[in-house]
Amino acid sequence: MEMTNTQKEGKILIADDEKTTREILTRALSTKGFTIKTVSDGTEALEMLQNEPFDLLITDLLMPNMEGNELIEKAHEILPDLIPIVITAHASVETAIKAMQQGAYDYITKPFDPEIIIPVIERGLENAYLRRQNIELTQYTKKLQELEQMKSDLLDTITHEFSTPISII
């Protein structure tokens, strides 16, 4: 699936307390043309999300100050269309289910291969792009329905205005 320029310009926030993970992800994703910002905990991530729009959030589950699941929940309050991806070394079926129930788009275990994570991120950004397109199309549809109603009302008025003099004649 080829991504358009709009999708390639996705803005990604990485929240992970491990500097090495942040650096590996930043290097791998920057070479693909994504805009990357990194933070070391959930509190910093929330501050950044309040100040800047992001398309995608990559978060660790276990971080100081705020766990990844709580970050996802609070991030969705700020940016409802944000696509969160969980990346963790503490993987279990329970943590995966909980993360997905709280809105995570995908779940990746550490250690990870950057070549495997890039397609996941591209799919997440594609999903964000399609959501935005869907919202725009819904707005256009609503506008068209309003215009159609206005046209119908105008035709009814014209028909009424012409029928009155014709019936008098």
Side-chain angles (χ1 to χ4, degrees), residues 61 68-70 72-73 84 86-88 90-109:
L61 276 183
N69 287 328
E70 184 181 356
I72 290 171
E73 193 175 308
V86 171
I87 184 166
T88 186
H90 304 281
S92 69
V93 173
E94 292 81 20
T95 59
I97 290 171
K98 185 175 181 183
M100 299 304 254
Q101 286 173 337
Q102 289 180 307
Y105 176 76
D106 212 326
Y107 187 91
I108 297 166
T109 58

Side-chain angles (χ1 to χ4, degrees), residues 10-166:
K11 199 167 177 187
I12 301 171
L13 176 61
I14 300 170
D16 197 309
D17 57 331
E18 294 177 18
K19 185 178 180 184
T20 307
T21 301
R22 292 192 311 267
E23 289 174 351
I24 290 170
L25 285 169
T26 299
R27 244 190 330 264
L29 298 173
S30 294
T31 61
K32 295 293 183 180
F34 301 118
T35 302
I36 309 298
K37 298 273 180 132
T38 65
V39 294
S40 59
D41 67 47
T43 306
E44 289 178 45
L46 282 180
E47 288 174 20
M48 182 121 5
L49 289 168
Q50 289 172 338
N51 296 321
E52 295 180 52
F54 286 88
D55 300 304
L56 194 130
L57 167 68
I58 300 173
T59 182
D60 190 6
L61 276 183
L62 299 178
M63 295 183 290
N65 301 327
M66 183 183 305
E67 290 190 355
N69 287 328
E70 184 181 356
L71 172 59
I72 290 171
E73 193 175 308
K74 290 183 177 184
H76 272 141
E77 292 172 11
I78 298 167
L79 296 171
D81 292 332
L82 183 71
I83 303 290
I85 294 175
V86 171
I87 184 166
T88 186
H90 304 281
S92 69
V93 173
E94 292 81 20
T95 59
I97 290 171
K98 185 175 181 183
M100 299 304 254
Q101 286 173 337
Q102 289 180 307
Y105 176 76
D106 212 326
Y107 187 91
I108 297 166
T109 58
K110 293 179 187 175
F112 60 90
D113 179 356
E115 293 303 315
I116 292 174
I117 200 170
I118 288 171
V120 171
I121 290 165
E122 287 176 339
R123 281 193 313 270
L125 289 171
E126 172 79 11
N127 186 295
Y129 174 77
L130 291 173
R131 284 182 186 181
R132 285 191 302 274
Q133 291 295 319
N134 190 30
I135 289 168
E136 285 180 34
L137 289 173
T138 301
Q139 290 170 344
Y140 288 139
T141 301
K142 185 177 178 183
K143 254 313 187 218
L144 286 171
Q145 288 170 341
E146 290 171 4
L147 288 171
E148 180 64 30
Q149 185 61 46
M150 287 172 59
K151 180 186 96 173
S152 178
D153 292 346
L154 179 63
L155 284 173
D156 288 347
T157 302
I158 290 171
T159 302
H160 177 22
E161 291 300 319
F162 278 133
S163 67
T164 302
I166 291 174

